Amino acid sequence: NSYKDRIDIDLSEMDNQLMVLADKSLIEMVLINLIKNSLEANAKQLKTSSKKLPNEAVLVLKDNGNGMSASVIKKAFLPFYTTKESGSGIGLSFSRQIIHAHKGIIELTSDKEGTEIRIILKTEIN
């Protein structure tokens, strides 16, 4: 896919010293999918932040795209569910599987001002 418009990604609130126990290429796939979703929702900005909690790292991506209705949010992680004409409905479902395989959590909230994804991953072996 090619996109006519660009998205401004704000990394200023990212902790670049934060380390998580994760497969780099799989987490990159999740992040690429989330950025792609923001672009497809006509977002112009994606603000990222991260913070360290005891034994966990929290990564938040918040865009200013079209947002999703409550009914769409309920189905967003279901395999093959899509609201896009050319969508496959596997992006968020696959992203959730990757995060769960890392014993993490992925949460989604959305309103008319945009969508926020929160990913929580372990930073230490228990």
Side-chain angles (χ1 to χ4, degrees), residues 13-15 17-20 49-59 120-124:
E13 292 186 39
M14 293 295 293
D15 180 348
Q17 299 300 311
L18 200 56
M19 303 262 295
V20 295
S49 63
S50 64
K51 66 180 175 181
K52 171 95 170 74
L53 299 175
N55 301 322
E56 295 179 331
V58 179
L59 172 63
I120 303 168
L121 293 169
K122 300 288 182 200
T123 56
E124 297 176 15

Side-chain angles (χ1 to χ4, degrees), residues 6-98:
R6 302 269 183 216
I7 189 167
D8 175 37
I9 301 176
D10 178 354
L11 301 171
S12 64
E13 292 186 39
M14 293 295 293
D15 180 348
N16 63 4
Q17 299 300 311
L18 200 56
M19 303 262 295
V20 295
L21 301 171
D23 180 300
K24 180 183 174 189
S25 61
L26 289 176
I27 297 301
E28 282 176 354
M29 287 174 60
V30 170
L31 296 175
I32 289 167
N33 178 62
L34 297 176
I35 293 167
K36 183 175 166 273
N37 285 351
S38 291
L39 280 166
E40 291 173 348
N42 298 315
K44 301 297 180 203
Q45 289 186 313
L46 179 65
K47 186 175 175 87
T48 63
S49 63
S50 64
K51 66 180 175 181
K52 171 95 170 74
L53 299 175
N55 301 322
E56 295 179 331
V58 179
L59 172 63
V60 178
L61 293 92
K62 181 163 180 49
D63 72 31
N64 65 346
N66 297 335
M68 294 180 248
S69 68
S71 63
V72 170
I73 291 170
K74 287 180 184 177
K75 300 175 189 172
F77 289 107
L78 293 176
F80 309 112
Y81 176 76
T82 185
T83 59
K84 301 171 194 164
E85 237 178 76
S86 62
S88 64
I90 59 171
L92 283 176
S93 174
F94 187 57
S95 294
R96 177 179 256 179
Q97 285 183 325
I98 290 171

